[in-house]
């Protein structure tokens, strides 16, 4: 593939990501609408689904906050990181104008709006793959990192402590980050690793369970408990607070026990190329 | 379903109760962090007795492309003074606001919730009339919008009722039960 073709494909990837909610999330929302008993909660999910349909039909951004674009790239030897960065930067300018995306990069010092500035993660691979996540600001603001033990929530350095951390994060988020949520969790290493890996779990399908049986059960159990919090769609009551919990556990430093909790809004926009 | 039309009158506001579904028509002004701060430091006469929408829309040319609500709690610190200074009658947003705002609403204003993420539905009900402080950038500018049958739910009324506070108390009870004691 030459550079021009790849650039066009990335613009199309942006368009699909901003305007089409992934099928597995649409399906989970449809199921939740059937099950939700709260009247306002049910109405809200119906409105969400109506909007998702209209956005897809009219090819318009589902949500006005088109987020920070985050690219996860599996790179073959055909492309250098430098080349890919250049192609993505150019595609971002085109996509921002064409789709359009909201210009979401604000210079911290001058306060000027700079357009959009993607975050790009690379790894080397035999096969070329791009995952794009458009991550909104509201759900990012309620994402957080815990250091265990944490006396305030009675959380020790064990699986039960991780469970309490996740529940605490969702309880504190209430309706601020656009529930029903999708939650990525990473336990271990250091701050940067749990921040990165917890967010990366949001790329997993809603139906995907951790292949480790114990952790697969843990994901189901925590999901069930979060939905007992009665926060509900948009924080206005109901049983549908979260659609899925995805975890990853890595090694930790003996002195540390970090739990990263990345919260995704219902409008979790991810697509692949 | 209750139809409301701007300019909103005190009687319109005082009739509303939490849980009411409304359809709002007329003129509303977007204001986020930067705009709220600007409106307190300066005076923009158009905001008097108006409705404020916590929203950073996508606008192309003169067309609203996507325009759902942004999270309101970030604007808690500005809002009581905005209501006091401009006589703002309605605030539209998502996620709810704090006790200081609930107090400022008493007898004179309401908080309406729109569905976060439902940008296209709200854009369809919305047209651009004017824009102030465009130099703040697209999300932060003050967009004067004309809306027709904009759907929202009354979640904080002028009588001190707050749906979000009710949900918070209920979820707190459930939360405490789930984390104590160690299982």
């Amino acid at each position: 593939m030459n550079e021009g073709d790849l650039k066009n494909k990335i613009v199309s990837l942006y368009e699909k990501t901003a305007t089409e909610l992934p099928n597995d999330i649409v399906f989970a929302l449809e199921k939740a609408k059937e099950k939700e008993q709260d009247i306002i909660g049910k109405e809200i999910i119906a409105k969400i689904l109506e909007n998702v349909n209209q956005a897809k039909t009219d090819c318009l951004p589902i949500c006005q906050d088109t987020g920070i674009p985050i690219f996860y790239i599996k790179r073959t030897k055909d492309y250098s990181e430098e080349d890919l960065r250049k192609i993505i930067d150019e595609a971002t300018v085109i996509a921002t104008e064409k789709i359009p995306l909201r210009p979401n990069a604000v210079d911290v010092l001058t306060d000027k709006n700079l357009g959009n500035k993607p975050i790009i993660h690379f790894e080397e691979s035999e096969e070329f793959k791009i995952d794009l996540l458009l991550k909104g600001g509201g759900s990012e603001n309620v994402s957080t990192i815990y250091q265990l033990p944490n006396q305030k929530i009675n959380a020790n350095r064990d699986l039960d402590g991780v469970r309490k951390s996740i529940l605490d994060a969702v309880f504190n988020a209430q309706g601020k980050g656009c529930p029903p949520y999708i939650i990525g969790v990473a336990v271990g290493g250091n701050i940067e690793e749990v921040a990165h890996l917890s967010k990366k779990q949001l790329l997993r399908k809603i139906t995907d369970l951790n292949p480790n049986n114990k952790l697969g059960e843990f994901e189901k159990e925590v999901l069930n408990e979060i939905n007992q919090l009665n926060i509900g769609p948009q924080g206005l009551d109901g049983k549908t607070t979260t659609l899925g919990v995805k975890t990853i556990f890595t090694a930790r430093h003996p002195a540390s026990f970090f739990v990263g909790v990345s919260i995704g809004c219902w409008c979790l926009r991810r697509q692949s190329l | 379903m209750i139809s409301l039309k701007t300019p909103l009158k005190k009687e319109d506001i005082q009739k509303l109760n939490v849980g009411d579904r409304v359809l709002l028509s007329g003129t509303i002004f977007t204001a986020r962090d930067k705009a709220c701060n600007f409106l307190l430091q300066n005076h923009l006469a158009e905001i008097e007795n108006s409705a404020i929408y916590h929203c950073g829309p996508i606008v192309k040319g003169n067309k609203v492309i996507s325009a759902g609500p942004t999270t309101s709690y970030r604007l808690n610190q500005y809002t009581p003074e905005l209501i006091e200074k401009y006589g703002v009658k309605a605030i539209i947003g998502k996620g709810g606001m704090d006790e200081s705002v609930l107090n400022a609403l008493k007898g004179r204003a309401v908080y309406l919730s729109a569905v976060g993420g439902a940008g296209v539905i709200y854009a369809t009900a919305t047209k651009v009339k004017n824009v102030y402080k465009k130099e703040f950038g697209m999300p932060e500018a003050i967009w004067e919008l004309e809306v027709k049958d904009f759907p929202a739910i009354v979640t904080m009324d002028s009588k001190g009722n707050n749906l979000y506070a009710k949900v918070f108390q209920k979820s707190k009870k459930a939360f405490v039960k789930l984390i104590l004691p160690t299982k």
Side-chain angles (χ1 to χ4, degrees):
Chain A
M1 201 179 340
N2 68 37
E3 290 193 3
D5 288 345
L6 182 59
K7 195 182 351 178
N8 290 338
K9 285 207 162 150
I10 292 171
V11 174
S12 303
L13 177 65
Y14 262 119
E15 184 172 86
K16 187 168 183 188
T17 313
T19 62
E20 282 184 42
L21 198 65
N23 286 333
D24 60 305
I25 300 174
V26 176
F27 186 67
L29 285 165
E30 280 167 350
K31 247 175 43 188
K33 191 182 98 180
E34 295 309 313
K35 271 173 60 183
E36 182 56 70
Q37 297 291 310
D38 185 80
I39 298 169
I40 292 181
K42 210 180 180 76
E43 271 177 36
I44 288 171
I45 304 175
K47 190 70 91 189
I48 284 172
L49 286 165
E50 184 193 334
N51 184 67
V52 166
N53 266 328
Q54 200 179 332
K56 188 176 177 183
T57 309
D58 299 347
C59 198
L60 293 172
I62 310 167
C63 175
Q64 77 291 338
D65 181 5
T66 45
I68 293 183
I70 308 171
F71 284 87
Y72 300 90
I73 298 185
K74 288 188 173 146
R75 180 178 70 86
T76 56
K77 293 203 164 51
D78 302 336
Y79 298 100
S80 70
E81 289 190 11
E82 199 186 351
D83 289 344
L84 287 167
R85 261 182 215 287
K86 189 171 152 273
I87 294 168
I88 288 172
D89 283 343
E90 287 170 10
T92 303
V93 173
I94 298 169
T96 300
E97 175 64 26
K98 181 177 173 248
I99 300 169
L101 304 173
R102 195 175 70 181
N104 272 347
V106 179
D107 187 288
V108 173
L109 290 179
T110 64
D111 223 23
K112 287 256 178 308
N113 195 308
L114 306 173
N116 278 306
K117 203 174 171 308
I119 294 169
I120 309 171
H121 301 286
F122 290 106
E123 59 181 284
E124 283 184 29
S125 170
E126 296 292 308
E127 271 181 72
F128 186 78
K129 192 181 179 212
I130 297 181
D131 285 298
L132 172 58
L133 177 67
L134 296 178
K135 184 70 170 60
S139 60
E140 194 64 11
N141 282 350
V142 289
S143 297
T144 185
I145 292 172
Y146 291 82
Q147 237 178 307
L148 301 188
N150 179 327
Q151 280 191 321
K152 206 177 140 228
I153 53 170
N154 194 22
N156 298 320
R157 291 182 160 188
D158 51 26
L159 203 55
D160 191 56
V162 176
R163 178 185 72 87
K164 287 170 175 166
S165 303
I166 304 167
L167 285 167
D168 189 59
V170 179
F171 173 68
N172 290 328
Q174 292 282 316
K176 296 184 187 87
C178 274
Y181 298 125
I182 293 122
I183 296 174
V185 179
V187 182
N190 64 10
I191 283 183
E192 122 221 354
E193 189 179 36
V194 297
H196 172 65
L197 288 177
S198 61
K199 183 160 292 147
K200 211 174 166 191
Q201 300 317 298
L202 299 177
L203 298 176
R204 284 166 53 191
K205 288 231 159 67
I206 289 278
T207 45
D208 185 44
L209 277 184
N210 193 308
N212 175 313
N213 275 345
K214 193 173 169 190
L215 296 179
E217 283 307 310
F218 178 73
E219 289 177 352
K220 283 200 271 188
E221 180 197 326
V222 176
L223 172 64
N224 179 32
E225 290 192 349
I226 291 172
N227 287 334
Q228 292 170 32
L229 290 175
N230 299 306
I231 293 170
Q234 297 292 302
L236 287 168
D237 210 344
K239 292 288 176 204
T240 319
T241 302
T242 291
L243 301 172
V245 177
K246 309 292 154 201
T247 62
I248 186 167
F249 288 67
T250 67
R252 64 180 177 86
H253 184 280
S256 310
F257 196 116
F258 289 106
V259 182
V261 183
S262 280
I263 298 188
C265 55
W266 66 259
C267 193
L268 187 71
R269 287 148 292 173
R270 50 161 154 77
Q271 299 285 349
S272 312
L273 178 70
Chain B
M1 201 65 95
I2 300 168
S3 288
L4 294 173
K5 200 166 167 22
T6 66
L8 294 163
K9 294 183 217 58
K10 211 172 171 181
E11 306 87 81
D12 298 332
I13 298 305
Q14 289 174 342
K15 268 192 289 198
L16 298 172
N17 295 303
V18 291
D20 285 347
R21 295 2 174 230
V22 300
L23 293 172
L24 180 66
S25 298
T27 304
I28 62 176
F29 294 83
T30 68
R32 298 173 36 130
D33 313 60
K34 221 162 153 174
C36 286
N37 189 38
F38 170 82
L39 290 172
L40 290 181
Q41 307 304 324
N42 302 273
H43 196 82
L44 188 63
E46 285 78 0
I47 303 296
E48 287 166 17
N49 295 307
S50 69
I52 284 183
Y53 184 21
H54 295 157
C55 168
I58 302 178
V59 179
K60 192 175 190 177
N62 214 27
K63 198 174 162 11
V64 185
I65 304 290
S66 195
T70 193
T71 316
S72 298
Y73 79 96
R74 298 196 314 269
L75 310 166
N76 282 333
Q77 55 171 321
Y78 307 106
T79 302
E81 212 181 323
L82 275 177
I83 295 173
E84 188 63 43
K85 183 177 173 187
Y86 290 98
V88 172
K89 292 283 182 293
I91 291 157
I92 310 158
K94 73 172 168 85
M97 301 190 79
D98 69 5
E99 203 63 24
S100 72
V101 176
L102 189 67
N103 282 328
L105 295 173
K106 274 182 191 158
R108 54 182 172 182
V110 282
Y111 178 83
L112 306 171
S113 292
V115 177
V120 178
I121 288 184
Y122 297 115
T124 310
T126 305
K127 278 186 186 135
V128 175
K129 275 180 82 178
N130 205 346
V131 59
Y132 305 88
K133 304 310 286 178
K134 207 172 180 179
E135 63 271 27
F136 285 176
M138 190 192 289
E140 300 286 337
I142 301 169
W143 296 90
E144 183 176 350
L145 304 171
E146 191 178 314
V147 293
K148 194 173 181 301
D149 294 335
F150 184 105
I153 308 168
V154 180
T155 50
M156 294 165 73
D157 65 23
S158 63
K159 300 156 195 174
N161 299 305
N162 180 357
L163 274 189
Y164 291 98
K166 251 172 87 179
V167 172
F168 179 82
Q169 289 309 332
K170 204 168 147 189
S171 70
K172 192 174 176 183
K173 253 189 216 163
F175 174 65
V176 169
K177 233 168 87 183
L178 285 166
I179 68 160
L180 299 169
T182 306
K183 271 173 57 168

